[in-house]
Amino acid sequence: MHPFSRRSLLKTGAAFAATFAAPSLVRAAPKEIVIGGPAGAAKYFNADLFPVLEKKLDCKVLYEGTNSLTNLQKMQADKASPKISVVIMDDPVMLPAAAEGLITKMSSSSIANLGRLVDGAVHQDGLWANYQKPWAGIAYSSKRMKTAPVSWADLWDAKYESKIIVPSLSNTEGFWTLLAAAHLETGKPYKEAQYDIDAAFKKVKSLKANLLNVYTNAPQAINLLEQGEAWMIGGQFSAYTLIRKADGSPVDLAIPADGGFAMPSGIAKVTNGPAGDVADAVIDFFLSPEAQTILADKAFVAPTNQGTPRPAGFPDPAQLFAPDWAFFAKNRAGWVDRWSKEMT
């Protein structure tokens, strides 16, 4: 188990060192490395992935789980003396991190699996790479709903008053509800509707009567769905929902007939971060078939290494819409502010 608290891990390490003071009798302490990543991934990272990584690399992982924007803010604050060595963030948040020089170029000479990924998985000449591809749709309570939602318009159906949860725009997955709203308001396909943000806000504001909550903490939102207090969560990831279903929770994920979304997840090396050689090895591990097989099985995400088979039942990524992340990243801060003003 890997607790989130760095302090507690350091205290444990200090106690261990004090007990075994004779250097000749102890094995060298494993290297520590801080990885920043999504809070929603902490469960399967800690239970299934990090034990394999730590044994393979003889290192100790200190995991800082939060949302991508918070990790970006940490990196901005610590730019002169980074604490995080490897960061895992959504692609739209990687864009400003790259623009500000917070992440550094990776090379296949030190990260061999970088050259074995599917087309389009390596970005900006190696500044970050996609280690997995979750997909997004509508999560729903299979206890409350006997049939799966079939359209994004279902979120707006008046019979679901105070039964719907959507992510805040502070979370990247919040964009899916906004994009679906633009599509419903304009009647345009996603490719065109994504640029009609005024129409998107007009439509999403009309969802207020149906909202039970707007979340920034994905695990708490899933808990409400499991308990049956919420009936649907708009714009939810396979990695958050299907793992709960596999554990026996009465939840499921639907890809609406009007389309689901692809959400490539990126991994990058922090500029001037500590433990640089271990950081390369950690990133290579995340990009390996060994790690991606674990993630596909435990987290329901599509692999990106060409040597990792796509499990049966996973959607065809070519059928999922991938938005213009550069446009999203350029406008996100203003949209988040507008969301705060218009959705409260």
Side-chain angles (χ1 to χ4, degrees):
M1 183 174 181
H2 303 262
F4 287 96
S5 167
R6 175 181 174 86
R7 179 177 298 175
S8 62
L9 282 170
L10 293 176
K11 287 174 66 177
T12 301
F16 182 87
T19 302
F20 299 94
S24 61
L25 297 178
V26 293
R27 187 167 176 253
K31 296 178 181 178
E32 291 182 344
I33 185 164
V34 179
I35 300 175
K43 182 177 180 181
Y44 55 84
F45 276 1
N46 287 330
D48 303 300
L49 196 68
F50 290 158
V52 179
L53 185 157
E54 290 179 336
K55 183 177 181 181
K56 192 178 187 73
L57 303 183
D58 190 24
C59 67
K60 174 63 70 179
V61 172
L62 307 177
Y63 187 62
E64 299 283 349
T66 181
N67 62 49
S68 292
L69 276 183
T70 300
N71 270 327
L72 176 66
Q73 291 164 354
K74 287 181 180 179
M75 294 164 65
Q76 291 167 330
D78 297 336
K79 186 174 183 179
S81 182
K83 298 178 177 62
I84 296 175
S85 295
V86 173
V87 67
I88 295 169
M89 303 192 297
D90 302 321
D91 277 18
V93 187
M94 286 292 187
L95 287 164
E100 295 177 37
L102 300 173
I103 54 178
T104 189
K105 185 178 177 180
M106 303 180 291
S107 169
S108 57
S109 62
S110 54
I111 303 175
N113 281 302
L114 202 60
R116 299 165 185 157
L117 304 184
V118 297
D119 289 345
V122 179
H123 300 271
Q124 296 197 9
D125 201 24
L127 277 177
W128 80 90
N130 298 133
Y131 71 100
Q132 64 178 20
K133 290 189 177 182
W135 60 94
I138 299 175
Y140 66 98
S141 166
S142 53
K143 181 168 62 177
R144 298 292 191 185
M145 301 177 66
K146 299 308 177 188
T147 58
V150 297
S151 167
W152 288 98
D154 289 351
L155 298 177
W156 277 262
D157 192 316
K159 68 182 180 183
Y160 298 121
E161 182 179 357
S162 299
K163 295 180 173 63
I164 305 298
I165 293 178
V166 296
S168 165
L169 263 184
S170 298
N171 294 44
T172 301
E173 67 266 31
F175 182 58
W176 302 132
T177 304
L178 199 62
L179 178 52
H183 159 68
L184 294 171
E185 182 67 18
T186 64
K188 297 178 181 177
Y190 297 143
K191 186 174 181 179
E192 298 173 25
Q194 65 182 323
Y195 302 111
D196 284 338
I197 293 302
D198 287 340
F201 272 98
K202 178 183 177 183
K203 182 67 177 179
V204 83
K205 282 193 293 185
S206 69
L207 186 60
K208 285 184 179 180
N210 280 9
L211 290 181
L212 173 68
N213 196 6
V214 176
Y215 80 79
T216 56
N217 185 301
Q220 290 178 1
I222 293 288
N223 288 343
L224 291 173
L225 195 68
E226 289 178 322
Q227 295 161 11
E229 293 186 47
W231 288 36
M232 289 186 276
I233 301 178
Q236 195 50 256
F237 289 130
S238 57
Y240 290 172
T241 308
L242 296 182
I243 192 171
R244 298 292 189 103
K245 178 185 176 184
D247 287 342
S249 294
V251 298
D252 209 339
L253 183 71
I255 298 179
D258 37 351
F261 306 110
M263 183 65 253
S265 301
I267 188 166
K269 184 176 180 179
V270 176
T271 302
N272 298 321
D277 55 339
V278 183
D280 286 341
V282 166
I283 293 170
D284 194 54
F285 175 74
F286 267 83
L287 300 181
S288 71
E290 180 181 12
Q292 296 195 358
T293 297
I294 295 172
L295 291 170
D297 180 54
K298 300 296 183 181
F300 300 92
V301 292
T304 59
N305 189 307
Q306 296 180 76
T308 312
R310 181 161 56 94
F314 279 34
D316 180 357
Q319 301 300 315
L320 302 171
F321 180 72
D324 181 348
W325 287 127
F327 176 74
F328 174 82
K330 178 181 178 181
N331 294 283
R332 182 176 187 171
W335 295 347
V336 170
D337 183 60
R338 184 173 176 178
W339 177 281
S340 299
K341 293 175 180 174
E342 298 187 18
M343 293 301 290
T344 54

